[in-house]
Amino acid sequence: RQPGRAAVVTLAMAAGPPPPLEPYPLPTFPEEGFTEKFLRKTRENPLVPLGCLCTVSILAYGIICFKKGNTRRSQLMMRARVLAQGFTFAAMLGGMVATAIKSRQ
């Protein structure tokens, strides 16, 4: 047995139970539907939806070229799609960094 430890337990027991904690009110947020959230996020970072739109457009055109048998243009569109996806990813990453910097200030 450690003599110092017994004293700490005795003091803690003599102090009685801790006072009850008062709950802090939780913050309330307005209900936000899909459309409102989409528009807010688009206003915050407009390059992400633009990149997604470009990626889908290039992909669709590449598939059309592939169906028509224009393999050279189809391959070119698939490479362009990769670039558009890279742009979209960079826009998302940039938006996250900007949001993190803004929240720290």
Side-chain angles (χ1 to χ4, degrees):
R1 288 193 165 179
Q2 299 171 347
R5 187 170 189 191
V8 171
V9 171
T10 306
L11 289 175
M13 294 169 83
L21 296 174
E22 294 183 22
Y24 291 105
L26 295 174
T28 58
F29 298 101
E31 288 295 321
E32 187 177 41
F34 175 77
T35 306
E36 291 86 14
K37 185 175 182 178
F38 179 77
L39 292 174
R40 179 176 55 84
K41 294 284 189 178
T42 300
R43 274 187 245 111
E44 288 175 4
N45 193 357
L47 294 178
V48 173
L50 181 66
C52 291
L53 184 64
C54 287
T55 302
V56 169
S57 300
I58 291 170
L59 178 63
Y61 184 63
I63 291 173
I64 290 169
C65 290
F66 180 75
K67 292 278 187 183
K68 288 183 177 180
N70 191 348
T71 56
R72 184 169 185 207
R73 173 119 349 155
S74 174
Q75 285 296 314
L76 182 66
M77 289 299 109
M78 291 305 116
R79 291 181 186 136
R81 176 192 55 86
V82 171
L83 289 175
Q85 281 179 308
F87 171 79
T88 305
F89 181 75
M92 285 177 24
L93 192 62
M96 289 189 314
V97 169
T99 302
I101 290 172
K102 184 190 269 186
S103 67
R104 285 187 180 186
Q105 293 176 351

